[in-house]
Structure formats: structure tokens, C-alpha cells
Amino acid sequence: MEMIRAIAIGLPLTVLVTVLALLIGTVVALPIVAGLRSRNRLVWLMSRGLVDLLRGVPPVVWLFILYYGVSVGAIRLTALQAGVLGLGVVAAAYLAEIFRGAISSIPKGQWEASSALGFHRATVWSLIIGPQTARAVVPAYTTFAIGLLKDSSIASSIGVAEIVFMSSQYARQSGEGIMVFFVAAGVYILLSVPLGLLSRHLDIKMRKAVAR
Amino acid sequence: MNNLVDVAIQYGPTLFDGLKVSLTLTLLSLAFGLPLGLVFSFGVTARNKTFRYLSVFFVEVGRGAPALVLLQLMYYGLPNAEITLSSMASACLALTWTTAAYSAELIRGGIQSVPPGEVEGSHALGMSYRDCLRFVVIPQGLRIALPSLMGFAVLLFQATSLAYSVAVPELMSQAYSIGSSTFQYLPVFIVAGLLYAAISIPATWLSVFAERMLSRHL
């Protein structure tokens, strides 16, 4: 019972870290995608470099840099802030690549047709390219969200009291290590099932919406 | 900036030793995990129930649970079952499990995309099922799966940084111990991060290159 309690205490933080990091990632990814699609070589090179650097360094290192390394005067980030921010910017790099791939998968004819019809750029993005990109992005986006759910466990390394942190604390106190980690694994698997179902549901719904 | 260079010069060798441990851990996990992944990729659709359920269990848990959970399970959990492994061995076991689970799915995807005509062709030529797998299906399937397996290897290399939590003396734990004894956290972690990037960024380029080369004739 104690074991279930420990994991239940950690659960909300796991969800919180995942959701916040995903939000930050999605928002920050948008300017990066714009940079990756830019025709200006310098802007492109900087965005490309940023994405490669963010993805090339393991998330733990980013969290440690933010948590132990960054201090503005006497102000330091809390573990939760550092965790969410670190996972968020790494997510932004991965999501930017996902978005870029989805946008470039839209057939060229769609662009040509919309410019032939004289649509404004804003209209092209909001009514033509945007919706089709959203549909193309759903499977990869949810797969990434499930991955991020698991990566949120990395925040335990800087002391965010989420599922893995609580389980490992419990394991050390009680000496029942095998069971607690299997239950924790089960919780992660259970959490990712609804996400997978949601993804399939959205995919089917959007497939119907776009007549082909 | 000067600080960064000082740290890099002074602690470079220690960090480099850590990097070697990280690479060793990656290679060992790949060496054990990939063959196991090939076995599981057939196991999840096998007719033998025990084999199938076992494979599904290992694949689903290995993919569904965070690597950190598996690492801690092996290091803090197994001693309860009277199995005490060194930190390196338990980290290797956990990451082998992750590798086997992910590569099983990647290899299965590759094998499924081998055109059915290839199998029909080998039947028509009178090849046995075993020879058809060994000489026709598996080589082509692995070839299709190669770029994604390389991409996974890069992620695995990054995941070895989690092994610091079970006291493996790899790059991250070296950086942490230098940081906590000198309080030079920021420069040490930046140098460590650059070392990781110096391996994983070129490795990613290599996997993109492999994908281009292999999909040239498709």
C-alpha cells in the first residue's frame, strides 16, 4: 500500500512536467521551424546549429546545466523550473524537425495552386497548408509526446519528486526494489495507452475531414 | 570563456575517460541488444505461445518504461532477488533490454517492408523457409532498418548519460563529481555536453547519409 502511495504522489508531477514541457516545446518549435525554412543562409545555419546542438546533448546534461549552472545574482531555478525548461527546449528541437518534415510533405501543387488563386500568405497558412500539416503531424507528435512522458523521468535526477524519484526513494527505504519499479513501469505503460488511442482517433477523424 | 578553456584543459583527461566508459556501455548494449532484438522481432508474431508472450512482455516493457526505471530496477531492485551486479553490469543489462525492445520493433518494420514477391520468388525456386529467411528476408529487412537502427544507436549513446544514477563512472558522473568538488558546475557540464555533441551530431549525420544512400534505388 505504501508503495502505491509513493507512486501516486509522484504521478501528478510526472504529468505536469510532461504537459508543461510539451507546451513550451510546441511554442518554441514554431520560430525554429520558421528559421529552418528560411532562405537567409545565416538564419538557416543558426537554426540548424541550434537544433543539432539541442538534440546532440543528452537531456540530463541540459537539466544539470540549468539547475546547477545557471544563476542570475542570487536567484537559481528550482528543480521543477529547470526540469520543465530543460525538457521543453530539447522538445522544441525535436518538434521543430517533426513540423518541418510535415510541412515539406505537403505536395508542391498545394502551394502553387494557392498562389495561382492569389491567396494571401496568412490565408495560405491558416486554411490550406496549416490544416494539412496538422493532419500529417499527429502521428509523429503523439509518438514524441509518449517519449517525452518517459523522458520526464529524467527530471528525477535533479530532485523533482515524480514517479521515478518517489519509487527509488521507496526502494531504498523499504528494500522492495523489484516490485516498485515494475509497478512504476506499468504506470508509464498505462499512461501512454490513452495517448496512443487518442492519436489513432485523431488520425482517423482528420483522415475523414480531408477528402482525397 | 577562459574558465571554460581552463576546465577543459585541467579536467579533459578525466572527462575523456568517462566518455570512453559511455562508449563502451553503448557498444556492449548494442552487441547484446541487437541480436536479442532480432530474436524478439520474430518472437512477437511466433506461433509458440510461451515464446510469443515472453517476447511481447520484454518488448512492451522495454519500450514502455523509461530507461531510468530499468536502470534502477537492475541496480536497486535485483539485489532483493539475491542477484547483486556491479553498476556497470546492471547498467549494461538495463540498456540491453531497452536496445532489444526498440530494435525488435525497428527490425520488424524493416522485415515487413520486404516485398512479398521476394518470398514468393524464393518459394518458386524451391528454397526452404529457413534459407528464405536467412538469405532473402533478413538481409533485406536489416538493410531497410539500418538507418533507423543507427538513429537509435545515437539515442542509446545519449541514454548512457542516465547510467550516472547507478554509479557507473561514465562521462556524466565524472562531470558531476568534478563539479561538486570544484563548484565549477557550469563550465564542466558545458564541456561534457560538447563531448556528447561531438559524438552524437556526426553520428546523426552518418545515419541521414546512410538513409540517403540506401533509399537511392527505391
Side-chain angles (χ1 to χ4, degrees):
Chain A
M1 231 34 245
E2 275 290 297
M3 182 174 79
I4 305 291
R5 227 173 66 95
I7 290 178
I9 293 173
L11 184 60
L13 266 177
T14 291
V15 176
L16 185 73
V17 170
T18 310
V19 171
L20 288 181
L22 195 61
L23 273 177
I24 293 181
T26 309
V27 174
V28 177
L30 296 177
I32 302 181
V33 181
L36 286 176
R37 293 178 48 80
S38 170
R39 281 206 207 101
N40 183 329
R41 288 311 274 180
L42 187 68
V43 174
W44 177 83
L45 199 69
M46 278 166 60
S47 331
R48 189 73 258 170
L50 180 68
V51 169
D52 279 354
L53 190 66
L54 283 173
R55 297 199 307 172
V57 176
V60 204
V61 181
W62 289 118
L63 296 198
F64 274 38
I65 288 178
L66 286 173
Y67 185 61
Y68 293 105
V70 173
S71 53
V72 183
I75 306 167
R76 271 182 48 190
L77 294 170
T78 64
L80 183 63
Q81 286 165 345
V84 166
L85 203 61
L87 290 172
V89 289
V90 174
Y94 280 95
L95 287 173
E97 279 287 287
I98 290 175
F99 293 164
R100 190 191 57 81
I103 294 172
S104 62
S105 77
I106 307 296
K108 260 216 170 93
Q110 300 284 332
W111 292 98
E112 286 160 5
S114 43
S115 72
L117 292 168
F119 283 132
H120 191 261
R121 271 175 70 95
T123 323
V124 174
W125 278 106
S126 64
L127 293 180
I128 298 158
I129 304 299
Q132 296 188 70
T133 306
R135 192 179 78 89
V137 122
V138 165
Y141 190 83
T142 38
T143 307
F144 180 78
I146 293 171
L148 187 62
L149 173 73
K150 291 182 284 170
D151 279 354
S152 73
S153 63
I154 296 172
S156 69
S157 64
I158 53 171
V160 177
E162 45 68 78
I163 295 178
V164 173
F165 184 88
M166 296 303 291
S167 324
S168 109
Q169 208 177 40
Y170 175 81
R172 274 178 251 182
Q173 277 169 9
S174 68
E176 291 174 45
I178 294 191
M179 204 49 209
V180 70
F181 286 119
F182 266 115
V183 174
V187 171
Y188 277 102
I189 294 171
L190 280 181
L191 281 175
S192 55
V193 169
L195 273 172
L197 288 178
L198 181 73
S199 143
R200 194 163 300 173
H201 173 76
L202 276 177
D203 195 39
I204 291 169
K205 212 170 129 185
M206 287 170 136
R207 225 173 260 274
K208 276 184 193 152
V210 180
R212 284 227 157 186
Chain B
M1 203 61 217
N2 274 333
N3 214 347
L4 206 62
V5 177
D6 286 347
V7 165
I9 291 168
Q10 194 174 353
Y11 300 109
T14 322
L15 291 174
F16 205 72
D17 285 344
L19 183 63
K20 274 191 266 179
V21 176
S22 301
L23 284 171
T24 313
L25 190 54
T26 313
L27 291 181
L28 282 177
S29 308
L30 285 175
F32 295 123
L34 288 178
L36 215 55
L38 182 62
V39 172
F40 285 153
S41 72
F42 284 95
V44 289
T45 53
R47 257 184 237 133
N48 181 328
K49 272 198 178 149
T50 346
F51 182 34
R52 188 171 72 219
Y53 288 148
L54 261 178
S55 307
V56 169
F57 168 79
F58 278 113
V59 170
E60 288 304 317
V61 175
R63 274 160 35 101
L68 203 50
V69 170
L70 296 180
L71 281 165
Q72 305 217 349
L73 173 72
M74 298 303 176
Y75 191 63
Y76 295 114
L78 281 188
N80 296 142
E82 308 290 318
I83 306 168
T84 306
L85 298 171
S86 72
S87 56
M88 187 66 179
S90 54
C92 193
L93 200 60
L95 292 176
T96 297
W97 188 348
T98 313
T99 309
Y102 276 95
S103 62
E105 287 296 290
L106 296 176
I107 292 172
R108 198 170 60 94
I111 282 176
Q112 275 176 350
S113 52
V114 172
E118 300 275 338
V119 180
E120 283 161 18
S122 50
H123 277 309
L125 292 170
M127 276 172 113
S128 68
Y129 178 63
R130 200 191 234 168
D131 280 357
C132 166
L133 278 186
R134 190 173 147 204
F135 295 112
V136 179
V137 175
I138 292 181
Q140 294 189 71
L142 284 183
R143 195 179 122 141
I144 297 170
L146 186 69
S148 38
L149 286 175
M150 286 169 75
F152 173 77
V154 176
L155 289 181
L156 179 70
F157 169 65
Q158 296 199 354
T160 59
S161 63
L162 299 174
Y164 94 93
S165 70
V166 293
V168 176
E170 44 71 64
L171 178 48
M172 201 55 213
S173 73
Q174 301 284 13
Y176 186 71
S177 68
I178 294 169
S180 50
S181 60
T182 62
F183 291 103
Q184 302 251 26
Y185 285 111
L186 190 59
V188 172
F189 287 144
I190 289 177
V191 173
L194 290 177
L195 279 176
Y196 276 114
I199 304 275
S200 50
I201 293 177
T204 311
W205 289 341
L206 202 64
S207 76
V208 173
F209 178 70
E211 188 162 8
R212 272 199 204 134
M213 290 302 283
L214 290 177
S215 64
R216 216 166 31 174
H217 307 291
L218 295 181

